[in-house]
Amino acid sequence: MNGVFTQLRACMTQFFKSAQRELGLILAFFLLFPLGFLFFLSILVQPSFRPQILVGSIMMEVALININVLAQSVAQDKQSHFFDLWVSFPVSPLVYVLGNALPWLPVSLLTAGVTLAMGIYLFGISVAVAPLLLLVALVLIWSSTTGIGYLVAVYGGNPRQVNMLAQFVGIVMTFFAPIYYPVTALPLAAQYVAYAWPLTWGAILLKALFASNLTQAAIAILVLSLYTAAGYALIALGLRWRAK
Amino acid sequence: MRNGGGEAVLEARDLTKVYAPRRGQPPVHANRGISLTVHKGEVVAVLGPNGAGKSTFLRQVAGQLLPTSGTVRVCGIDVIASPLAAKRCMSVIPQECSPYDSLTVEEHVRYFGIIKGMDPRTAPGETSRLLSEVGLTEHRTKLIRELSGGLKRRVLIALALAGPGNQLLLLDEPTTGLDPASRRTVWKVIESLAGKGRGVLLTTHYIDEAEYLADRIVIIAQGRILAEGSPLEIQSRSASKGRLDIYDVDLLSAAAKAELDSLKGVWPVSFAREDHLRLAVPDPFSPEAVARLQGLSGLGVKATLAPASLEDAYLTIAGEMPET
């Protein structure tokens, strides 16, 4: 029997084979967020807000794309009944979920890299973080939202409903998690709610890393690790994998 | 049975499935204690009307649906307690399942084969062998979206065969929606799989499919097994030895209707529809039966006399009317 990594590699390879045939669509998707970021920073935003907008854009590219893409991939599999086939394969549900989510991680990281480079070189935003540490942080932010994407898919019903639910979660998390503004801008009660979202902690982590605030970064890393562990545990335990 | 009485690859015992009541409705009993064994090299066909519990049973065996009670063992492994180990011994072809549009035939078998346990080093050769086995070699580089329904079914069969194990194949209505030629091809593949010692459990609505493929037929209705046996054993349970089918009943002349009414007094009606009537004939080769048929023909009635078939037995056992 092949191990988890061999299975994941096969998942990734089949995705990339498929992606080669949809390259235009993926490139358009890849360029969308950096272009949006460019638009915001060029036209609308005062220079003092730029670091916050940079954080918000990267969060969109890493976290929200993960939630959306994963939710819609799983929903599509459910619609085509390929999900039933996956359940009948000798694979862990975690392999299936990571097999769907992982191929998009390089796309998200590349997009985030382009946005970051634009922020630094076109708009002079100061980012004081080691590239490797930033990479680890982005992967952690990505993995902390994988469980949410799966939950949206398995509780969302058909692909249309999953799409709506993913958009709803995305909007709620974008506007009620302070990724585009400081958390202190929210009313006190809303701040407590905001701290329940992993996106809030992702934004805190990026801001802390950009400003070399390692204590705050460590706290955010701990919280995001807990979100990651909880999400993966739910998936690995087979939540909504076998029907009841 | 093709390979004699091999060891059991599937042992299902007292499987039930009860769905919780919704909004004042009573609970739904999809399965009510189904027990079934499938041996190596044996093809078992499950027949039953829509909603009989066939697919529910298959999904329980496949580990896709948890039973309310009962046990399922595949190759001796408990499917409920050790699903991953059990799934290494079986493959499933769901009733409605579309492979990925933007992958080729070959990519499906190769990469999903690796996911199912095929050795990555030998995967290219193994993929070629499987594609040849199901007659897909000439389509290997085609994208799924370029294939007909029959070819897509064959891709799913190849995918089911990929990887080690696969002692038990579960096929949920494998030929539904296929043209006659594609059905025959799928039948040949299923036959050859059983010939190689695999156990096959399939559900179907097609009596001819069950008759052609199955060593054993199981008839399910309302979540219960009503009958089980070889096609001949099942056929012997028909209500009569023969049948007289009368067509275009709604267009009959007055004289023909009168003749038909008198026939109904002699032979019981086994099935009736507005335009089609079937009478159970005790002996289709008796002089009386032949004379009655000739009498109807003389009145311009379209009618046929035939020995009872597996379908008659199925209708007798399941107590249902065939659909057209």
Side-chain angles (χ1 to χ4, degrees):
Chain A
M1 198 60 212
N2 290 325
V4 166
F5 289 107
T6 307
Q7 290 178 326
L8 274 178
R9 199 167 61 218
C11 289
M12 301 272 284
T13 313
Q14 59 99 355
F15 171 83
F16 288 122
K17 292 275 178 190
S18 174
Q20 284 170 11
R21 296 170 188 123
E22 295 163 346
L23 209 54
L25 201 62
I26 291 172
L27 274 176
F29 200 62
F30 168 74
L31 289 171
L32 184 68
F33 287 102
L35 287 175
F37 170 71
L38 196 63
F39 172 78
F40 269 113
L41 288 200
S42 303
I43 301 170
L44 296 173
V45 175
Q46 295 170 13
S48 60
F49 289 160
R50 283 178 175 172
Q52 183 75 53
I53 297 299
L54 178 63
V55 166
S57 297
I58 293 175
M59 288 301 297
M60 293 285 281
E61 290 154 3
V62 175
L64 285 175
I65 286 182
N66 186 33
I67 292 171
N68 252 290
V69 165
L70 178 58
Q72 296 193 31
S73 297
V74 175
Q76 191 58 44
D77 279 354
K78 285 170 71 185
Q79 175 85 351
S80 68
H81 295 275
F82 212 85
F83 187 82
D84 291 340
L85 210 54
W86 274 103
V87 176
S88 72
F89 287 162
V91 293
S92 151
L94 198 54
V95 168
Y96 167 71
V97 172
L98 286 177
N100 269 288
L102 211 51
W104 286 91
L105 178 60
V107 178
S108 284
L109 292 178
L110 275 171
T111 309
V114 171
T115 303
L116 188 66
M118 281 167 44
I120 294 169
Y121 297 111
L122 294 181
F123 299 98
I125 299 169
S126 167
V127 174
V129 57
L132 188 62
L133 184 57
L134 182 61
L135 182 68
V136 171
L138 292 177
V139 172
L140 185 60
I141 291 166
W142 170 85
S143 60
S144 70
T145 53
T146 302
I148 297 172
Y150 183 69
L151 287 178
V152 168
V154 296
Y155 285 104
N158 64 43
R160 187 178 60 82
Q161 291 163 334
V162 166
N163 187 31
M164 286 168 66
L165 187 59
Q167 300 309 324
F168 176 78
V169 169
I171 288 167
V172 166
M173 288 202 172
T174 305
F175 292 103
F176 294 95
I179 62 171
Y180 279 115
Y181 53 87
V183 68
T184 47
L186 286 171
L188 191 60
Q191 285 183 34
Y192 289 117
V193 177
Y195 281 119
W197 305 125
L199 270 76
T200 302
W201 291 97
I204 288 170
L205 174 58
L206 287 181
K207 275 189 277 187
L209 287 177
F210 290 170
S212 295
N213 184 343
L214 293 184
T215 308
Q216 203 169 34
I219 294 169
I221 285 171
L222 179 69
V223 175
L224 289 172
S225 301
L226 290 174
Y227 270 110
T228 302
Y232 285 9
L234 275 178
I235 297 165
L237 287 172
L239 179 76
R240 292 234 162 179
W241 183 242
R242 286 193 284 186
K244 286 187 177 156
Chain B
M1 201 181 303
R2 288 152 181 85
N3 286 353
E7 64 185 83
V9 283
L10 166 65
E11 294 166 284
R13 293 285 167 267
D14 297 320
L15 278 184
T16 66
K17 185 69 201 174
V18 184
Y19 290 104
R22 279 190 180 178
R23 292 182 188 169
Q25 299 290 316
V28 176
H29 292 259
N31 276 341
R32 301 164 189 256
I34 292 185
S35 296
L36 184 68
T37 303
V38 177
H39 300 90
K40 276 188 174 176
E42 186 183 29
V43 179
V44 176
V46 180
L47 283 170
N50 288 329
K54 305 185 297 292
S55 294
T56 300
F57 173 60
L58 217 69
R59 293 185 69 216
Q60 287 173 325
V61 172
Q64 296 168 342
L65 177 68
L66 284 169
T68 306
S69 65
T71 59
V72 192
R73 300 182 84 82
V74 172
C75 301
I77 301 164
D78 188 330
V79 174
I80 299 157
S82 310
L84 276 184
K87 286 171 190 175
R88 285 180 194 128
C89 296
M90 64 175 154
S91 280
V92 183
I93 302 177
Q95 187 177 335
E96 299 167 276
C97 178
S98 301
Y100 293 119
D101 270 354
S102 50
L103 285 178
T104 66
V105 170
E106 188 174 34
E107 286 162 357
H108 263 95
V109 178
R110 181 168 169 182
Y111 297 115
F112 287 103
I114 293 171
I115 289 165
K116 288 180 68 192
M118 191 191 274
D119 185 340
R121 289 165 300 182
T122 58
E126 183 69 2
T127 300
S128 297
R129 190 189 62 74
L130 285 170
L131 292 179
S132 162
E133 191 173 341
V134 298
L136 282 173
T137 304
E138 63 180 296
H139 304 285
R140 62 189 303 155
T141 56
K142 284 186 184 166
L143 293 174
I144 293 298
R145 58 173 167 251
E146 297 166 19
L147 302 182
S148 66
L151 290 176
K152 283 182 187 172
R153 274 268 144 188
R154 278 195 260 166
V155 172
L156 290 174
I157 293 175
L159 219 157
L161 300 179
N166 301 325
Q167 294 304 305
L168 174 67
L169 289 172
L170 306 170
L171 301 105
D172 198 1
E173 300 188 19
T175 61
T176 297
L178 300 189
D179 62 58
S182 299
R183 285 182 73 206
R184 290 277 164 178
T185 310
V186 172
W187 288 1
K188 290 288 174 200
V189 172
I190 294 170
E191 261 194 313
S192 89
L193 296 175
K196 289 175 184 164
R198 289 170 167 127
V200 179
L201 177 66
L202 63 93
T203 68
T204 183
H205 280 295
Y206 301 125
I207 307 285
D208 60 336
E209 184 162 283
E211 197 165 16
Y212 181 87
L213 286 173
D215 298 297
R216 200 147 43 92
I217 291 174
V218 176
I219 297 176
I220 291 182
Q222 296 180 332
R224 287 194 182 92
I225 292 182
L226 300 182
E228 185 178 349
S230 70
L232 275 177
E233 285 167 345
I234 295 288
Q235 194 171 325
S236 70
R237 292 182 58 175
S238 173
S240 64
K241 287 184 179 168
R243 67 183 192 199
L244 178 66
D245 282 291
I246 299 140
Y247 305 97
D248 298 336
V249 177
D250 48 337
L251 304 175
L252 293 183
S253 65
K257 275 184 183 161
E259 175 63 14
L260 194 56
D261 286 340
S262 87
L263 273 179
K264 284 185 196 170
V266 181
W267 296 325
V269 174
S270 62
F271 146 63
R273 211 178 47 204
E274 191 184 342
D275 61 342
H276 182 188
L277 193 73
R278 181 176 292 169
L279 304 179
V281 181
D283 181 358
F285 304 110
S286 67
E288 186 200 0
V290 175
R292 291 280 191 174
L293 176 68
Q294 285 170 341
L296 285 171
S297 298
L299 292 167
V301 178
K302 200 192 294 180
T304 57
L305 186 63
S309 65
L310 187 62
E311 184 183 344
D312 295 300
Y314 168 76
L315 294 175
T316 304
I317 294 164
E320 70 155 8
M321 309 273 273
E323 292 170 8
T324 54

